[in-house]
């Protein structure tokens, strides 16, 4: 009788569960974007059903330029092209593999570039590999179109980690 009750209880508890559903992650990504830009992103990701996810991001970066006086990249002008922004990204799962997935990511962002505010739209691809511990390695191809200032396009590669809560 105990075995039958245990099997029934485990069946009822296990039927509504899906792997990866409603998991939450702290994300950190860093990399290079075109045109001469360093980028770092922090985020909170919440997984939805069927491998989809939503991420709330905060991003900082720096677009370096050559010093007009000396003609090369100097420490005096290196940090003059900074920017920061934040946004909400929806990540649609395109393909699930055994220990990884491929997602299409897109969403709006708002921020400031050297004191001037901008609105941006981000899109790109994200590949995640899940380690047995639950930590994920991510490789992100990022495309960002900015409006209301001169730094219109940013695209490049980021690598990062997702740490589960």
């Amino acid at each position: 009788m105990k075995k039958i009750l245990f099997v029934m209880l485990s069946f009822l508890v296990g039927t509504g569960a899906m792997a990866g559903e409603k998991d939450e992650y702290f994300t950190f990504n860093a990399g290079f974007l075109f045109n001469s830009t360093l980028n770092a992103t922090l985020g909170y990701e919440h997984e939805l059903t069927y491998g989809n996810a939503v991420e709330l991001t905060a991003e900082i970066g720096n677009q370096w330029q050559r010093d007009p006086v000396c003609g090369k990249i100097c420490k005096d002008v290196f940090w003059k092209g900074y920017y920061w922004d934040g946004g909400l990204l929806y990540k649609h799962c395109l393909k699930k593999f055994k220990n990884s997935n491929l997602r299409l990511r897109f969403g709006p962002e708002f921020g400031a570039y050297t004191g001037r505010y901008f609105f941006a739209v981000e899109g790109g691809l994200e590949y995640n590999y899940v380690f047995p511990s639950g930590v994920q390695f991510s490789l992100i191809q990022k495309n960002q179109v900015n409006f209301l200032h001169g730094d219109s396009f940013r695209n490049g590669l980021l690598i990062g980690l997702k740490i589960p809560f």
Side-chain angles (χ1 to χ4, degrees):
M1 185 67 180
K2 289 180 185 179
K3 290 181 183 180
I4 293 172
L5 286 173
F6 177 74
V7 169
M8 289 176 56
L9 182 63
S10 61
F11 178 75
L12 290 173
V13 171
T15 55
M18 290 182 65
E21 183 177 332
K22 301 201 176 160
D23 287 347
E24 296 176 337
Y25 295 94
F26 171 74
T27 65
F28 175 75
N29 304 307
F32 293 99
L33 304 176
F34 178 79
N35 180 10
S36 304
T37 304
L38 292 171
N39 187 317
T41 306
L42 295 174
Y44 165 77
E45 180 178 296
H46 178 76
E47 289 197 355
L48 305 171
T49 57
Y50 304 111
N52 301 326
V54 176
E55 183 177 6
L56 184 62
T57 64
E59 176 179 35
I60 59 171
N62 181 48
Q63 182 179 16
W64 69 84
Q65 298 172 2
R66 294 189 181 276
D67 188 359
V69 176
C70 68
K72 54 186 177 178
I73 301 169
C74 300
K75 65 179 180 175
D76 297 334
V77 297
F78 185 79
W79 296 107
K80 301 278 185 191
Y82 67 93
Y83 67 91
W84 59 267
D85 61 39
L88 181 66
L89 298 173
Y90 176 72
K91 300 177 179 183
H92 180 73
C93 186
L94 296 175
K95 180 75 175 165
K96 289 181 104 170
F97 304 101
K98 183 176 179 182
N99 292 328
S100 59
N101 61 25
L102 179 66
R103 291 181 177 155
L104 175 68
R105 47 187 273 142
F106 56 90
E109 293 187 348
F110 302 95
Y113 174 71
T114 63
R116 297 176 301 198
Y117 294 103
F118 68 87
F119 167 72
V121 177
E122 180 177 330
L125 295 172
E126 176 179 305
Y127 175 77
N128 298 311
Y129 181 81
V130 182
F131 293 107
S133 65
V135 175
Q136 294 184 15
F137 169 78
S138 61
L139 179 65
I140 298 169
Q141 190 278 325
K142 178 178 180 170
N143 301 306
Q144 189 176 27
V145 179
N146 302 318
F147 303 100
L148 306 177
H149 73 83
D151 187 22
S152 298
F153 299 103
R154 295 186 193 124
N155 52 10
L157 288 174
L158 305 171
I159 58 171
L161 289 176
K162 296 181 181 182
I163 302 168
F165 284 172

